[in-house]
Amino acid sequence: MQGKVRASVALDNKRTEIREFDFPAIPSDGGLLKVEKTGVCGSDWPYFLNYPKSKGPLILGHETVGFVSAAGANAAARWGVKEGDRVALEEYLPCGHCNYCRTGDFRLCDATDTLLGNGIRYGSTPVSVAPSLWGGYSEYQYLHPNAVFHKVPAGVPAEQATLALPLGNGVEWAYLQGRASIGEAVVIQGPGQQGLACVIAAKEAGASCIIVTGLSADQHRLALAKEMGAHYTIDIEQNDLLESVADHTGGHMADLVIDCASGGPSTIVSAIHVARKGGRVLLCGRKGRPVPEFDSDLLFRKNLTVKGMRGHSYQAVEIALQILASGRYPLNKMCTHTFSLDQLENALCTVGGEGERNAIHCCVDPWR
Amino acid sequence: MQGKVRASVALDNKRTEIREFDFPAIPSDGGLLKVEKTGVCGSDWPYFLNYPKSKGPLILGHETVGFVSAAGANAAARWGVKEGDRVALEEYLPCGHCNYCRTGDFRLCDATDTLLGNGIRYGSTPVSVAPSLWGGYSEYQYLHPNAVFHKVPAGVPAEQATLALPLGNGVEWAYLQGRASIGEAVVIQGPGQQGLACVIAAKEAGASCIIVTGLSADQHRLALAKEMGAHYTIDIEQNDLLESVADHTGGHMADLVIDCASGGPSTIVSAIHVARKGGRVLLCGRKGRPVPEFDSDLLFRKNLTVKGMRGHSYQAVEIALQILASGRYPLNKMCTHTFSLDQLENALCTVGGEGERNAIHCCVDPWR
Amino acid sequence: MQGKVRASVALDNKRTEIREFDFPAIPSDGGLLKVEKTGVCGSDWPYFLNYPKSKGPLILGHETVGFVSAAGANAAARWGVKEGDRVALEEYLPCGHCNYCRTGDFRLCDATDTLLGNGIRYGSTPVSVAPSLWGGYSEYQYLHPNAVFHKVPAGVPAEQATLALPLGNGVEWAYLQGRASIGEAVVIQGPGQQGLACVIAAKEAGASCIIVTGLSADQHRLALAKEMGAHYTIDIEQNDLLESVADHTGGHMADLVIDCASGGPSTIVSAIHVARKGGRVLLCGRKGRPVPEFDSDLLFRKNLTVKGMRGHSYQAVEIALQILASGRYPLNKMCTHTFSLDQLENALCTVGGEGERNAIHCCVDPWR
Amino acid sequence: MQGKVRASVALDNKRTEIREFDFPAIPSDGGLLKVEKTGVCGSDWPYFLNYPKSKGPLILGHETVGFVSAAGANAAARWGVKEGDRVALEEYLPCGHCNYCRTGDFRLCDATDTLLGNGIRYGSTPVSVAPSLWGGYSEYQYLHPNAVFHKVPAGVPAEQATLALPLGNGVEWAYLQGRASIGEAVVIQGPGQQGLACVIAAKEAGASCIIVTGLSADQHRLALAKEMGAHYTIDIEQNDLLESVADHTGGHMADLVIDCASGGPSTIVSAIHVARKGGRVLLCGRKGRPVPEFDSDLLFRKNLTVKGMRGHSYQAVEIALQILASGRYPLNKMCTHTFSLDQLENALCTVGGEGERNAIHCCVDPWR
């Protein structure tokens, strides 16, 4: 291809810079994606703060939707997609042959583990690793041989399609891991895009009492939670959480609690209290520090199961795309902001709570 | 019946006293058990320290094996046992009709929850509740209408039969809840009778690498763990736990970690570290205080499942009795001490670490 | 109580007769139910044809809703209900202490197995067994000590409340056993009340493509299936079943097939063909004769799971009652006919296809 | 490479022929395996009878163990193996990107489905498909980009290593799909190599009553079943199957029945009878014709689950290799015959029951 690829590169100190890259050579087992839009993930904020320092400059962005613009001779058959196909990419670049990959848990593959290992994945690999185009905040993204593709129906607007991964997380957490079931009471702490995704998944699963908690500043998010299917919302600054949940559940408390709240570890403690005996608690958000009040005896006395959630399975994203295509939820209301590459600093600061207000799901359009 | 029932009653201040009780009237739906022997559970120690104060005098002991000596007109059909049958009793007295009872989780029933509710159960109900005979450290124990029975094969020696519940815990934790599987690596922290019970259950389940950890003072227990089927033992005062587990598992780490250690919360932290990515951690012992170093982000990064274990299911005890009857394990070596009713203070202090040394499973013979 | 209990007793040759019975003495662990209404089950038809001959005269009817009018001294605590409570009864009278009962599968208990064993249950126990009042087509029904109760919310109309068991079957089959999941394609063969109950359960479970098949004579039932949430219906006399399912599922075929069709075994063969590779097939209806075309190699080649369904769990009925109380489905349209005790022959012939036309769910009101 | 590859090609009419093939060119994502030994599978017999006619000449054999002798530039990283590694190959060549592949069920992938689709796999792809070397009865086998590898420990003798797939089937069927559990009664019909593999898997899983059935001519196989861990064997020509199973299980009957018998469909009928209420039945062998006595009502009345088994998962083969490496079972006694390429007709006829007698597991050594 001719010309250059324009991308926004994250540098130190909450700083990005537009750079131009050569189009990469396409190996027989690789390819190129023309980015349509890329969603901004909550994890982009800690990545933005830490990775430029620890890894060097990088193109962030891993919730990418686009069109396959090139595929090497061996690549198309292997990927099951062809040039021109509209796809959503997963962030993972799994090896394909380890135990995790062979048994459906490729998200745990060491080759793509950037938290515990030395793996690479989209949106967190520095430009120093050839061919540099590892992130979605760019006109084009490199298609690594191990990329994981999902077909995107033509009718889904691009900004909603970039919800494939966050909604996939909601499906994975609330449904596939959390096993939200018909008739159950589910408490979701934190009404951000991940919390709302969990509302949708719990609703699809038939939960009959979905309660979303938030702060007084979250009124618009809590209102949107109700539009997505939540039965009750609780402003925990104005109400006693335990009493409110007891009221809404007739004293039963929560079968499943999903902690999607950002901020400190206090919501972990409340999650454990709000679960019924024999209930399940999912921890979905990084806290960055220990939980000093963590009472393991309460897990014992209440016979609780606590799971740390990390990412999504292939099946979860497929279900998410099916939900997106169904039009059953007002997902357009979640898509609050679209930024250009030049506005990436603002986009990232917005998900970090330092930019635009009332944002829920933001995305970046590299062609704007 | 004529005469009196002799029992040892727990009073304040690590003190017991032999008392005599009238034989209770047998209602149409109740009965009486002639105690053969009763096992001393690790939980008897905190019960001994706390319950006489908080609940009043009580007959402790809930790992009872005996013979049905009386059953009211409606009781036998309901219980599925008849006079003369040799049985092991569960500690639970579940209501039988709540959601937990109707779905096989009767151990969570509020009617028999003495930790979170106001329920009654064997071995933790005061003598002030008629007809007083709620514990196994007695010649006879009252058979409440809601008692849960297991038939005990004639060939199993009584002191081994009193392992039905602790071995049932091992089956419940390592197998039914922990899902120890063929070929897996299982780390068991704490080589007491519960840890050893988990070794047996993991062995039965086909785990190919069973590692038991303990202190330097636990040498005899660790040796016994090997006789029960453990592949490796680790003295954590002499060795680096993580390195040792990495060595024994070829770097894989533990699929399943079971924390049966008494003492402080540090073993919870080590359990989380020693688990592989995607692994499972079971918390089986009360710690009595928070775990200040608890790092919820590690659960997240490692995609861990942590479960607080509490008691056993019916199925677990049935499996335990089958293992006991098989003679496949040298369980006689676990049965280190038998005490008389007069020696109950010593028996309880022994499981509390303040009595006889080198004890593993102790039981009380009320007829000695 | 004074007076007599009026009941309709099934005799030989599609014949019933009104008889009067004495009010039974209430034992300490038994009681009496004042019947509000009783649903007519499809199984009542073969019972009507066979049981009077093989067992002697009996009061049929096992989908009973009513009010507890008497409870012995020990009964109320055991049952968790008190006089005046509105309840739905299960047909089962399980022993409470066998392996099946203790592990949540009490519907398989031998004590209440009238198909494989000598058990008793409501609606299929002859009047020769004291105190005779074992069926719901009666003003009062005896409350056996082993009866299984569900509380019925006041707002649910009685004729809908008698759907607790058939809707519970739908929940058990499509959801708890069949594991209908978000995004799945479910084919339900037979649009009778059981098929419609499966539609509701599959809808609650998030199935995204629910297809109901029937005959040309089933048009009103198929139309109702759509009102309950089915996405497509297929008249198999006018269409090729396999082609139609392939069309509706984009070639994927069915993840789950539920055969609720009455009539011959041919729907079993079609169920196996319509399932996708790795799919699940539930057999829910008695066929009365072998399936000569049964090709076990197709199960092997398609890696299918085939389950024979029988009744419901406690949890399934609880979920069903919650769905009934939610008002989310037009269940009033399923309740097509209410009969008096005098009209019982017509009621039974109607479910057998020999009475009223266009019936779906019928019930009997003993006070009409 | 120089020279030619010597292979035995299956032609029409139970006829094979030694042919020489050019060494294939190695593409960047392909490679070559030097065959050590290849096991003879029971399915090779119907393949031998049918495939030469329907597909054209082909190299059979899909239970191959060997050494990687060449790997293209992109292949090694993708496969996780390097030149010189000793590996067992699965028969499957899955696409890697479909729903089945991405969720751990790659054995159901259409790309490798030779029974329901047009896929290719090892041992059943004709020589007309380049580069011809698709089977294990050859000195070298082509390594397709989608090959699935397992590392083979050095200490496992080659003829035992060729049990990786049949023992993997046993693990998949008895354990992963059949969920043989601690304390359960398992009946295995047919004492061939698959039946014996199921014995080992059930033993590992803790089954406490393993019963193997066979014909009078199977005495040596039944004796070997006992050496592998079976508790009882039944000669069904000399004994009543149902009575014998009732005796051995104390009337409980079988929790799990695995039909590995070749021959007609009668063992399917007996499998259904021998299962307990609520039990599981696995159909593992092709019957080639319908089962006219198949009584679906018995599935219904007994609440049975019947599964058609097909092949193995990755995890099953990994567990099998771990069992092989453990030396816990006298697997050398299963390895009864080793044939040269020139003797392939005899080898195939032997597994078809028309060659050597008393064979259990046969393999072919292409270098002999």
mmCIF file with all atom_site columns, all heavy atoms in Angstrom, chain C residues 4-19:
data_model
loop_
_atom_site.group_PDB
_atom_site.id
_atom_site.type_symbol
_atom_site.label_atom_id
_atom_site.label_alt_id
_atom_site.label_comp_id
_atom_site.label_asym_id
_atom_site.label_entity_id
_atom_site.label_seq_id
_atom_site.pdbx_PDB_ins_code
_atom_site.Cartn_x
_atom_site.Cartn_y
_atom_site.Cartn_z
_atom_site.occupancy
_atom_site.B_iso_or_equiv
_atom_site.pdbx_formal_charge
_atom_site.auth_seq_id
_atom_site.auth_comp_id
_atom_site.auth_asym_id
_atom_site.auth_atom_id
_atom_site.pdbx_PDB_model_num
ATOM 1   N N   . LYS C 1 4  ? -69.408 -34.220 54.802 1.00 0.00 ? 4  LYS C N   1
ATOM 2   C CA  . LYS C 1 4  ? -68.695 -35.184 53.970 1.00 0.00 ? 4  LYS C CA  1
ATOM 3   C C   . LYS C 1 4  ? -67.836 -34.452 52.948 1.00 0.00 ? 4  LYS C C   1
ATOM 4   O O   . LYS C 1 4  ? -68.079 -33.276 52.648 1.00 0.00 ? 4  LYS C O   1
ATOM 5   C CB  . LYS C 1 4  ? -69.720 -36.048 53.203 1.00 0.00 ? 4  LYS C CB  1
ATOM 6   C CG  . LYS C 1 4  ? -70.596 -36.914 54.096 1.00 0.00 ? 4  LYS C CG  1
ATOM 7   C CD  . LYS C 1 4  ? -69.865 -38.179 54.527 1.00 0.00 ? 4  LYS C CD  1
ATOM 8   C CE  . LYS C 1 4  ? -70.827 -39.156 55.201 1.00 0.00 ? 4  LYS C CE  1
ATOM 9   N NZ  . LYS C 1 4  ? -70.160 -40.436 55.502 1.00 0.00 ? 4  LYS C NZ  1
ATOM 10  N N   . VAL C 1 5  ? -66.901 -35.174 52.382 1.00 0.00 ? 5  VAL C N   1
ATOM 11  C CA  . VAL C 1 5  ? -66.066 -34.643 51.308 1.00 0.00 ? 5  VAL C CA  1
ATOM 12  C C   . VAL C 1 5  ? -66.564 -35.217 49.989 1.00 0.00 ? 5  VAL C C   1
ATOM 13  O O   . VAL C 1 5  ? -66.641 -36.432 49.823 1.00 0.00 ? 5  VAL C O   1
ATOM 14  C CB  . VAL C 1 5  ? -64.585 -35.032 51.508 1.00 0.00 ? 5  VAL C CB  1
ATOM 15  C CG1 . VAL C 1 5  ? -63.756 -34.543 50.329 1.00 0.00 ? 5  VAL C CG1 1
ATOM 16  C CG2 . VAL C 1 5  ? -64.057 -34.495 52.819 1.00 0.00 ? 5  VAL C CG2 1
ATOM 17  N N   . ARG C 1 6  ? -66.860 -34.333 49.070 1.00 0.00 ? 6  ARG C N   1
ATOM 18  C CA  . ARG C 1 6  ? -67.376 -34.740 47.765 1.00 0.00 ? 6  ARG C CA  1
ATOM 19  C C   . ARG C 1 6  ? -66.194 -34.850 46.795 1.00 0.00 ? 6  ARG C C   1
ATOM 20  O O   . ARG C 1 6  ? -65.372 -33.928 46.694 1.00 0.00 ? 6  ARG C O   1
ATOM 21  C CB  . ARG C 1 6  ? -68.339 -33.649 47.280 1.00 0.00 ? 6  ARG C CB  1
ATOM 22  C CG  . ARG C 1 6  ? -69.435 -34.115 46.369 1.00 0.00 ? 6  ARG C CG  1
ATOM 23  C CD  . ARG C 1 6  ? -70.471 -33.003 46.166 1.00 0.00 ? 6  ARG C CD  1
ATOM 24  N NE  . ARG C 1 6  ? -71.181 -33.249 44.927 1.00 0.00 ? 6  ARG C NE  1
ATOM 25  C CZ  . ARG C 1 6  ? -70.859 -32.673 43.763 1.00 0.00 ? 6  ARG C CZ  1
ATOM 26  N NH1 . ARG C 1 6  ? -69.888 -31.788 43.691 1.00 0.00 ? 6  ARG C NH1 1
ATOM 27  N NH2 . ARG C 1 6  ? -71.544 -32.985 42.662 1.00 0.00 ? 6  ARG C NH2 1
ATOM 28  N N   . ALA C 1 7  ? -66.135 -35.977 46.101 1.00 0.00 ? 7  ALA C N   1
ATOM 29  C CA  . ALA C 1 7  ? -65.023 -36.192 45.157 1.00 0.00 ? 7  ALA C CA  1
ATOM 30  C C   . ALA C 1 7  ? -65.527 -36.963 43.951 1.00 0.00 ? 7  ALA C C   1
ATOM 31  O O   . ALA C 1 7  ? -66.535 -37.655 44.018 1.00 0.00 ? 7  ALA C O   1
ATOM 32  C CB  . ALA C 1 7  ? -63.891 -36.972 45.831 1.00 0.00 ? 7  ALA C CB  1
ATOM 33  N N   . SER C 1 8  ? -64.818 -36.818 42.853 1.00 0.00 ? 8  SER C N   1
ATOM 34  C CA  . SER C 1 8  ? -65.141 -37.583 41.647 1.00 0.00 ? 8  SER C CA  1
ATOM 35  C C   . SER C 1 8  ? -64.127 -38.713 41.515 1.00 0.00 ? 8  SER C C   1
ATOM 36  O O   . SER C 1 8  ? -62.928 -38.473 41.408 1.00 0.00 ? 8  SER C O   1
ATOM 37  C CB  . SER C 1 8  ? -65.075 -36.658 40.421 1.00 0.00 ? 8  SER C CB  1
ATOM 38  O OG  . SER C 1 8  ? -65.326 -37.395 39.253 1.00 0.00 ? 8  SER C OG  1
ATOM 39  N N   . VAL C 1 9  ? -64.638 -39.940 41.532 1.00 0.00 ? 9  VAL C N   1
ATOM 40  C CA  . VAL C 1 9  ? -63.773 -41.114 41.544 1.00 0.00 ? 9  VAL C CA  1
ATOM 41  C C   . VAL C 1 9  ? -63.731 -41.742 40.151 1.00 0.00 ? 9  VAL C C   1
ATOM 42  O O   . VAL C 1 9  ? -64.777 -41.951 39.524 1.00 0.00 ? 9  VAL C O   1
ATOM 43  C CB  . VAL C 1 9  ? -64.278 -42.133 42.583 1.00 0.00 ? 9  VAL C CB  1
ATOM 44  C CG1 . VAL C 1 9  ? -63.429 -43.396 42.556 1.00 0.00 ? 9  VAL C CG1 1
ATOM 45  C CG2 . VAL C 1 9  ? -64.294 -41.516 43.971 1.00 0.00 ? 9  VAL C CG2 1
ATOM 46  N N   . ALA C 1 10 ? -62.513 -42.013 39.676 1.00 0.00 ? 10 ALA C N   1
ATOM 47  C CA  . ALA C 1 10 ? -62.364 -42.658 38.371 1.00 0.00 ? 10 ALA C CA  1
ATOM 48  C C   . ALA C 1 10 ? -62.615 -44.152 38.512 1.00 0.00 ? 10 ALA C C   1
ATOM 49  O O   . ALA C 1 10 ? -61.998 -44.809 39.350 1.00 0.00 ? 10 ALA C O   1
ATOM 50  C CB  . ALA C 1 10 ? -60.960 -42.410 37.824 1.00 0.00 ? 10 ALA C CB  1
ATOM 51  N N   . LEU C 1 11 ? -63.540 -44.656 37.672 1.00 0.00 ? 11 LEU C N   1
ATOM 52  C CA  . LEU C 1 11 ? -63.861 -46.076 37.655 1.00 0.00 ? 11 LEU C CA  1
ATOM 53  C C   . LEU C 1 11 ? -63.467 -46.621 36.286 1.00 0.00 ? 11 LEU C C   1
ATOM 54  O O   . LEU C 1 11 ? -62.839 -45.927 35.490 1.00 0.00 ? 11 LEU C O   1
ATOM 55  C CB  . LEU C 1 11 ? -65.354 -46.281 37.881 1.00 0.00 ? 11 LEU C CB  1
ATOM 56  C CG  . LEU C 1 11 ? -65.890 -45.656 39.167 1.00 0.00 ? 11 LEU C CG  1
ATOM 57  C CD1 . LEU C 1 11 ? -67.414 -45.687 39.169 1.00 0.00 ? 11 LEU C CD1 1
ATOM 58  C CD2 . LEU C 1 11 ? -65.336 -46.431 40.360 1.00 0.00 ? 11 LEU C CD2 1
ATOM 59  N N   . ASP C 1 12 ? -63.789 -47.813 36.024 1.00 0.00 ? 12 ASP C N   1
ATOM 60  C CA  . ASP C 1 12 ? -63.434 -48.460 34.757 1.00 0.00 ? 12 ASP C CA  1
ATOM 61  C C   . ASP C 1 12 ? -64.031 -47.712 33.561 1.00 0.00 ? 12 ASP C C   1
ATOM 62  O O   . ASP C 1 12 ? -64.948 -46.916 33.710 1.00 0.00 ? 12 ASP C O   1
ATOM 63  C CB  . ASP C 1 12 ? -63.966 -49.896 34.790 1.00 0.00 ? 12 ASP C CB  1
ATOM 64  C CG  . ASP C 1 12 ? -63.209 -50.770 33.793 1.00 0.00 ? 12 ASP C CG  1
ATOM 65  O OD1 . ASP C 1 12 ? -62.239 -50.292 33.173 1.00 0.00 ? 12 ASP C OD1 1
ATOM 66  O OD2 . ASP C 1 12 ? -63.604 -51.938 33.660 1.00 0.00 ? 12 ASP C OD2 1
ATOM 67  N N   . ASN C 1 13 ? -63.439 -47.915 32.382 1.00 0.00 ? 13 ASN C N   1
ATOM 68  C CA  . ASN C 1 13 ? -64.130 -47.616 31.138 1.00 0.00 ? 13 ASN C CA  1
ATOM 69  C C   . ASN C 1 13 ? -64.485 -46.142 30.939 1.00 0.00 ? 13 ASN C C   1
ATOM 70  O O   . ASN C 1 13 ? -65.624 -45.796 30.663 1.00 0.00 ? 13 ASN C O   1
ATOM 71  C CB  . ASN C 1 13 ? -65.421 -48.479 31.106 1.00 0.00 ? 13 ASN C CB  1
ATOM 72  C CG  . ASN C 1 13 ? -65.867 -48.707 29.679 1.00 0.00 ? 13 ASN C CG  1
ATOM 73  O OD1 . ASN C 1 13 ? -65.093 -48.508 28.740 1.00 0.00 ? 13 ASN C OD1 1
ATOM 74  N ND2 . ASN C 1 13 ? -67.112 -49.098 29.531 1.00 0.00 ? 13 ASN C ND2 1
ATOM 75  N N   . LYS C 1 14 ? -63.502 -45.255 31.125 1.00 0.00 ? 14 LYS C N   1
ATOM 76  C CA  . LYS C 1 14 ? -63.711 -43.817 30.964 1.00 0.00 ? 14 LYS C CA  1
ATOM 77  C C   . LYS C 1 14 ? -64.888 -43.316 31.789 1.00 0.00 ? 14 LYS C C   1
ATOM 78  O O   . LYS C 1 14 ? -65.644 -42.447 31.322 1.00 0.00 ? 14 LYS C O   1
ATOM 79  C CB  . LYS C 1 14 ? -63.949 -43.450 29.495 1.00 0.00 ? 14 LYS C CB  1
ATOM 80  C CG  . LYS C 1 14 ? -62.791 -43.806 28.573 1.00 0.00 ? 14 LYS C CG  1
ATOM 81  C CD  . LYS C 1 14 ? -63.018 -43.301 27.171 1.00 0.00 ? 14 LYS C CD  1
ATOM 82  C CE  . LYS C 1 14 ? -62.011 -43.931 26.194 1.00 0.00 ? 14 LYS C CE  1
ATOM 83  N NZ  . LYS C 1 14 ? -62.286 -43.597 24.811 1.00 0.00 ? 14 LYS C NZ  1
ATOM 84  N N   . ARG C 1 15 ? -65.048 -43.877 32.962 1.00 0.00 ? 15 ARG C N   1
ATOM 85  C CA  . ARG C 1 15 ? -66.220 -43.562 33.745 1.00 0.00 ? 15 ARG C CA  1
ATOM 86  C C   . ARG C 1 15 ? -65.801 -43.009 35.109 1.00 0.00 ? 15 ARG C C   1
ATOM 87  O O   . ARG C 1 15 ? -64.889 -43.523 35.752 1.00 0.00 ? 15 ARG C O   1
ATOM 88  C CB  . ARG C 1 15 ? -67.067 -44.827 33.944 1.00 0.00 ? 15 ARG C CB  1
ATOM 89  C CG  . ARG C 1 15 ? -68.493 -44.553 34.403 1.00 0.00 ? 15 ARG C CG  1
ATOM 90  C CD  . ARG C 1 15 ? -69.373 -45.755 34.070 1.00 0.00 ? 15 ARG C CD  1
ATOM 91  N NE  . ARG C 1 15 ? -68.864 -46.978 34.657 1.00 0.00 ? 15 ARG C NE  1
ATOM 92  C CZ  . ARG C 1 15 ? -69.057 -47.330 35.927 1.00 0.00 ? 15 ARG C CZ  1
ATOM 93  N NH1 . ARG C 1 15 ? -69.751 -46.549 36.734 1.00 0.00 ? 15 ARG C NH1 1
ATOM 94  N NH2 . ARG C 1 15 ? -68.584 -48.461 36.386 1.00 0.00 ? 15 ARG C NH2 1
ATOM 95  N N   . THR C 1 16 ? -66.446 -41.918 35.534 1.00 0.00 ? 16 THR C N   1
ATOM 96  C CA  . THR C 1 16 ? -66.233 -41.374 36.871 1.00 0.00 ? 16 THR C CA  1
ATOM 97  C C   . THR C 1 16 ? -67.566 -41.360 37.611 1.00 0.00 ? 16 THR C C   1
ATOM 98  O O   . THR C 1 16 ? -68.636 -41.477 36.999 1.00 0.00 ? 16 THR C O   1
ATOM 99  C CB  . THR C 1 16 ? -65.702 -39.930 36.833 1.00 0.00 ? 16 THR C CB  1
ATOM 100 O OG1 . THR C 1 16 ? -66.722 -39.072 36.279 1.00 0.00 ? 16 THR C OG1 1
ATOM 101 C CG2 . THR C 1 16 ? -64.436 -39.817 35.985 1.00 0.00 ? 16 THR C CG2 1
ATOM 102 N N   . GLU C 1 17 ? -67.473 -41.166 38.897 1.00 0.00 ? 17 GLU C N   1
ATOM 103 C CA  . GLU C 1 17 ? -68.672 -41.177 39.722 1.00 0.00 ? 17 GLU C CA  1
ATOM 104 C C   . GLU C 1 17 ? -68.430 -40.267 40.918 1.00 0.00 ? 17 GLU C C   1
ATOM 105 O O   . GLU C 1 17 ? -67.353 -40.297 41.507 1.00 0.00 ? 17 GLU C O   1
ATOM 106 C CB  . GLU C 1 17 ? -68.902 -42.614 40.200 1.00 0.00 ? 17 GLU C CB  1
ATOM 107 C CG  . GLU C 1 17 ? -70.118 -42.823 41.054 1.00 0.00 ? 17 GLU C CG  1
ATOM 108 C CD  . GLU C 1 17 ? -70.214 -44.295 41.464 1.00 0.00 ? 17 GLU C CD  1
ATOM 109 O OE1 . GLU C 1 17 ? -70.751 -45.095 40.677 1.00 0.00 ? 17 GLU C OE1 1
ATOM 110 O OE2 . GLU C 1 17 ? -69.717 -44.641 42.554 1.00 0.00 ? 17 GLU C OE2 1
ATOM 111 N N   . ILE C 1 18 ? -69.411 -39.444 41.256 1.00 0.00 ? 18 ILE C N   1
ATOM 112 C CA  . ILE C 1 18 ? -69.284 -38.620 42.462 1.00 0.00 ? 18 ILE C CA  1
ATOM 113 C C   . ILE C 1 18 ? -69.525 -39.502 43.683 1.00 0.00 ? 18 ILE C C   1
ATOM 114 O O   . ILE C 1 18 ? -70.516 -40.234 43.741 1.00 0.00 ? 18 ILE C O   1
ATOM 115 C CB  . ILE C 1 18 ? -70.309 -37.457 42.446 1.00 0.00 ? 18 ILE C CB  1
ATOM 116 C CG1 . ILE C 1 18 ? -70.116 -36.568 41.215 1.00 0.00 ? 18 ILE C CG1 1
ATOM 117 C CG2 . ILE C 1 18 ? -70.227 -36.658 43.745 1.00 0.00 ? 18 ILE C CG2 1
ATOM 118 C CD1 . ILE C 1 18 ? -68.863 -35.740 41.220 1.00 0.00 ? 18 ILE C CD1 1
ATOM 119 N N   . ARG C 1 19 ? -68.592 -39.420 44.636 1.00 0.00 ? 19 ARG C N   1
ATOM 120 C CA  . ARG C 1 19 ? -68.770 -40.148 45.893 1.00 0.00 ? 19 ARG C CA  1
ATOM 121 C C   . ARG C 1 19 ? -68.527 -39.200 47.053 1.00 0.00 ? 19 ARG C C   1
ATOM 122 O O   . ARG C 1 19 ? -67.859 -38.182 46.906 1.00 0.00 ? 19 ARG C O   1
ATOM 123 C CB  . ARG C 1 19 ? -67.767 -41.310 45.990 1.00 0.00 ? 19 ARG C CB  1
ATOM 124 C CG  . ARG C 1 19 ? -68.079 -42.463 45.088 1.00 0.00 ? 19 ARG C CG  1
ATOM 125 C CD  . ARG C 1 19 ? -67.304 -43.703 45.531 1.00 0.00 ? 19 ARG C CD  1
ATOM 126 N NE  . ARG C 1 19 ? -67.443 -44.754 44.513 1.00 0.00 ? 19 ARG C NE  1
ATOM 127 C CZ  . ARG C 1 19 ? -66.681 -45.831 44.476 1.00 0.00 ? 19 ARG C CZ  1
ATOM 128 N NH1 . ARG C 1 19 ? -65.714 -46.010 45.371 1.00 0.00 ? 19 ARG C NH1 1
ATOM 129 N NH2 . ARG C 1 19 ? -66.852 -46.745 43.529 1.00 0.00 ? 19 ARG C NH2 1
#
